[in-house]
């Protein structure tokens, strides 16, 4: 399948934008350490790891994208013969989703007895979600009722389980917090549902009647936007909560 | 020998996953320095070196892997003519195994009179173990009773010596420690036996009747998993011990 110059460049430039965003976010999380109380610094450390891992993978994705296509005489981009490696995203999620879950559980400030088992369940569910989604990602499809659709459906089961646990706990954590912190928690909950919920929607792109190249572009651009928000945007919000709490607690 | 697309990609993606894990672990060990008491920081420094050296070698291994194969018209990967360089792993071990031994001896908190000579013996044994294993790694084999088997056997002698010393000393170090620290020591002992013990098992892959490409893939995937656990996983456990002790000691 061939891409127009615009399609190829849109993806390429979004990928590069993301590398810059992740690196800048990582630098911010390192430099802003001393602006939050010591007990909240671990959250900033985890944020740094998440965006660092993402920066590495976006470098790789960008390279793979550039290698997978070559410009033809008509000015379009055509497949070079080197396959584009879809796996980088899934490997990235395998590492970053558990870290984001650790971070969220840290922010909830639960007791050790509670957070340990909860984290174990969440990480197992996340691994299943990603592992079951991957085989489907490799397949094109025209409808929900395809092999891609089946893997997507299976992957959605642990996904719903994760959301269900997180929402219950986030709701509880909001009780009894000062107004400004409550607002931040509400925002993080919204960010979480919108960004995490965006991934399965992007996955469904081929079901919406897009052509081959349109659906490749929609998937790359969609996952990229979701990643910037779910990693860098989320980290900035966690920083804001930690900063607010640090000020409140003197 | 030719690899299927899936075999080639599995190894490639595992290698890339490992680069990301090692870099992230290194960033963590650097950023988490201030979370442990000054006297434990040297352990985190050594961990950083270990995963840093590993990240370098995994970049090299990944490059060598990608250069050693090329995609054929049938979609399989075939040898490109450039040999895959097995030596990176052994060079890596030559550097990282002594560092891991230093780290373990540090954590045991022995007297200087005792730790010096012990470390000397351990490092000599480790060098022999790695040096004797390497000639065998270059040879394929169908059975234990082959030249590969012989080198493996010779390499196992210093290996058993190392385990024998470490286990005795780890047992002694556990006595008289608080319960939570004891649990962490027990876990590290388990991690050690399972990860270090995994290397010789991987080495034996060609003896288990795998075909050429199956055994190449098993060896690469096996050593890679062992390395992530023995380096990054081990470093995180050492961090957990150091953090726990720092909190206990105020
Ligand atoms: C439900 C579902 C999926 C969910 C993916 C999610 C929720 C990914 C989240 C990634 C994050 C948060 C990364 C940030 O670092 C897949 C795998 C696309 C497959 C289709 C079904
Ligand atoms: C016994 C034995 C081996 C042992 C290797 C080991 C134990 C390697 C450990 C490496 C580590 C811990 C690296 C981490 O940085 C070889 C050489 C495979 C050859 C076959 C016999």
């Amino acid at each position: 399948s061939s891409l127009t110059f615009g399609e190829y460049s849109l993806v390429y430039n979004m990928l590069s934008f993301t590398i810059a965003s992740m690196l800048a976010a990582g630098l911010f999380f390192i430099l802003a350490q001393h602006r939050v109380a010591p007990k909240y610094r671990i959250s900033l450390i985890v944020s740094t790891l998440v965006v660092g891992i993402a920066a590495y993978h976006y470098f790789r994705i960008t390279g793979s994208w550039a290698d997978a296509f070559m410009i033809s005489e008509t000015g379009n981009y055509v497949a070079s013969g080197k396959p584009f490696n879809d796996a980088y995203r899934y490997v990235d999620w395998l590492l970053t989703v558990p870290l984001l879950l650790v971070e969220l559980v840290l922010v909830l400030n639960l007791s050790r007895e509670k957070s340990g088992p909860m984290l174990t369940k969440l990480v197992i569910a996340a691994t299943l979600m990603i592992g079951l989604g991957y085989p489907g990602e490799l397949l094109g499809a025209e409808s929900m009722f395809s092999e891609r659709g089946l893997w997507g459906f299976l992957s959605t089961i642990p996904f719903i389980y994760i959301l269900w646990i997180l929402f219950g706990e986030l709701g509880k954590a909001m009780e009894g917090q000062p107004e400004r912190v409550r607002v931040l928690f509400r925002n993080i909950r919204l960010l979480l549902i919108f960004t995490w919920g965006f991934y399965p929607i992007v996955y469904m792109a081929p079901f919406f009647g897009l052509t081959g190249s349109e659906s490749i572009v929609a998937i790359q651009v969609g996952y990229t936007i979701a990643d910037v928000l779910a990693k860098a945007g989320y980290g900035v919000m966690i920083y804001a909560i930690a900063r607010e709490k640090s000020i409140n607690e003197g």
Side-chain angles (χ1 to χ4, degrees), chain A residues 20-208:
Chain A
S21 307
M22 298 293 181
L23 290 176
L27 205 54
F28 174 70
F29 299 138
I30 292 174
L31 297 174
Q33 285 267 346
H34 67 275
R35 296 177 55 81
V36 305
K39 66 172 162 176
Y40 298 120
R41 293 195 187 145
I42 184 71
S43 297
L44 267 68
I45 294 180
V46 178
S47 290
T48 312
L49 302 188
V50 168
V51 294
I53 293 170
Y56 166 76
H57 285 112
Y58 272 90
F59 268 114
R60 290 286 195 183
I61 296 171
T62 309
S64 178
W65 182 258
D67 286 348
F69 298 98
M70 56 186 190
I71 199 155
S72 73
E73 316 221 315
T74 62
N76 276 1
Y77 278 85
V78 295
S80 71
K82 274 206 160 187
F84 175 64
N85 190 352
D86 280 300
Y88 289 127
R89 290 192 184 280
Y90 280 78
V91 172
D92 178 84
W93 297 344
L94 223 44
L95 288 162
T96 53
V97 173
L99 287 171
L100 289 171
L101 291 170
V102 166
E103 196 168 346
L104 201 62
V105 168
L106 279 173
V107 142
L108 292 177
N109 216 351
L110 305 172
S111 67
R112 242 185 191 167
E113 294 72 56
K114 196 159 179 197
S115 63
M118 190 168 117
L119 208 51
T120 311
K121 281 185 259 169
L122 287 173
V123 169
I124 293 174
T127 309
L128 281 174
M129 172 182 87
I130 297 161
L132 289 169
Y134 183 60
E137 194 70 75
L138 299 174
L139 306 165
E142 249 112 73
S143 104
M144 292 266 212
F145 305 99
S146 56
E147 215 183 312
R148 185 184 179 100
L150 179 65
W151 288 112
F153 171 75
L154 292 174
S155 162
T156 305
I157 300 169
F159 176 60
I160 289 179
Y161 173 79
I162 294 172
L163 289 187
W164 178 69
I165 293 199
L166 287 183
F167 270 54
E169 296 297 332
L170 269 171
K172 280 189 227 151
M174 278 157 69
E175 289 162 19
Q177 297 278 352
E179 178 58 18
R180 280 187 61 90
V181 175
R182 272 239 300 288
V183 170
L184 288 171
F185 264 119
R186 202 173 47 225
N187 291 348
I188 221 166
R189 197 149 102 156
L190 283 175
L191 183 73
L192 212 81
I193 189 95
F194 279 109
T195 58
W196 290 47
F198 197 51
Y199 290 91
I201 296 174
V202 173
Y203 182 91
M204 292 192 287
F207 307 157
F208 299 147

Side-chain angles (χ1 to χ4, degrees), chain A residues 25 28-29 47 103 229 231-242:
Chain A
F28 174 70
F29 299 138
S47 290
E103 196 168 346
L229 295 173
K231 293 175 167 106
Y234 177 80
V236 170
M237 280 189 118
I238 293 276
Y239 160 78
I241 292 187

Side-chain angles (χ1 to χ4, degrees), chain A residues 195-249:
Chain A
T195 58
W196 290 47
F198 197 51
Y199 290 91
I201 296 174
V202 173
Y203 182 91
M204 292 192 287
F207 307 157
F208 299 147
L210 302 175
T211 68
S213 69
E214 282 164 4
S215 114
I216 291 172
V217 172
I219 288 177
Q220 294 309 319
V221 171
Y223 284 150
T224 303
I225 295 173
D227 268 358
V228 173
L229 295 173
K231 293 175 167 106
Y234 177 80
V236 170
M237 280 189 118
I238 293 276
Y239 160 78
I241 292 187
R243 171 86 184 148
E244 194 61 38
K245 282 190 167 185
S246 305
I247 293 171
N248 288 346
E249 293 159 14

